């Protein structure tokens, strides 16, 4: 069975849909007081999580080297999204933690994504959007919170 649509269009359309959502997210984040937030920062902040992590663990979660993770942490520290603290169980280890500003960007991102989804539902219809989401669940692994995309794309 042949198709008039070339096979390479599907991944490009999926990536373009992702890009549209991410670009709109970051434009709104900038308006809401987060002008320095970048697309890869979201993966990093999610990987750090509420409990914090080390640079070694962060690199593993992101699929990048400890050095690449450390460089990104330095950037996030300058912006004010994270801080490094001493591990109370081992003073030689540094724990990377989200600051209140870092937690704020994640909370705002969640609300903005909900608004963007609502806009897509208004454009496509709620039923069609739910069907699209259900179909994507059928053809993708159940673990949708993979954070190793930076490493998969090549690095931070």
């Amino acid at each position: 069975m042949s198709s008039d649509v070339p096979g390479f269009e599907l991944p490009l359309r999926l990536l373009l849909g992702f890009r549209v959502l991410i670009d709109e997210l970051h434009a709104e984040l900038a308006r809401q007081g987060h002008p320095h937030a970048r697309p890869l920062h979201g993966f990093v902040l999610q990987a750090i999580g509420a409990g914090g992590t080390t640079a070694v663990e962060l690199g593993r979660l992101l699929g990048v080297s400890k050095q690449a993770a450390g460089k990104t942490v330095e950037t996030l520290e300058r912006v004010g999204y994270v801080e490094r603290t001493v591990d109370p169980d081992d003073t030689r280890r540094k724990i990377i933690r989200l600051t209140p500003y870092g937690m704020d960007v994640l909370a705002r991102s969640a609300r903005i994504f909900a608004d963007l989804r609502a806009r897509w539902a208004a454009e496509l219809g709620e039923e069609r959007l739910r069907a699209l989401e259900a179909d994507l669940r059928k053809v993708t692994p159940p673990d949708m919170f993979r954070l190793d995309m930076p490493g998969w794309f090549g690095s931070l």
Side-chain angles (χ1 to χ4, degrees):
M1 182 164 134
S2 73
S3 170
D4 292 337
V5 179
F8 63 81
E9 185 173 335
L10 176 62
L12 292 177
R13 289 284 172 193
L14 289 169
L15 185 60
L16 186 57
F18 174 79
R19 174 76 190 259
V20 165
L21 289 168
I22 296 301
D23 286 349
E24 290 181 16
L25 166 75
H26 285 276
E28 186 58 31
L29 282 172
R31 284 190 284 278
Q32 292 187 23
H34 291 279
H36 301 292
R38 299 292 175 263
L40 285 177
H41 294 169
F43 289 101
V44 178
L45 296 174
Q46 290 287 340
I48 292 169
T53 191
T54 65
V56 171
E57 180 64 12
L58 183 61
R60 189 188 66 73
L61 288 169
L62 297 173
V64 301
S65 69
K66 174 187 169 186
Q67 294 78 12
K71 188 174 181 179
T72 302
V73 167
E74 287 174 16
T75 300
L76 293 173
E77 204 170 22
R78 277 194 305 276
V79 173
Y81 289 142
V82 302
E83 62 187 359
R84 295 179 215 225
T85 60
V86 175
D87 184 339
D89 298 327
D90 182 352
T91 57
R92 296 169 296 174
R93 284 179 16 138
K94 297 284 187 194
I95 302 294
I96 303 155
R97 298 192 189 284
L98 299 178
T99 64
Y101 190 54
M103 289 184 273
D104 183 69
V105 74
L106 288 178
R108 287 177 188 273
S109 293
R111 288 191 299 270
I112 294 166
F113 274 132
D115 292 343
L116 291 171
R117 188 198 178 282
R119 284 189 15 217
W120 278 40
E123 178 74 22
L124 300 174
E126 183 65 37
E127 188 175 310
R128 286 190 66 193
L129 183 57
R130 283 188 191 274
L132 173 61
E133 291 165 335
D135 288 344
L136 287 171
R137 279 186 210 98
K138 288 178 188 174
V139 297
T140 58
D143 181 10
M144 74 172 169
F145 290 111
R146 290 190 61 173
L147 299 170
D148 65 348
M149 290 298 177
W152 185 81
F153 270 116
S155 191
L156 293 173

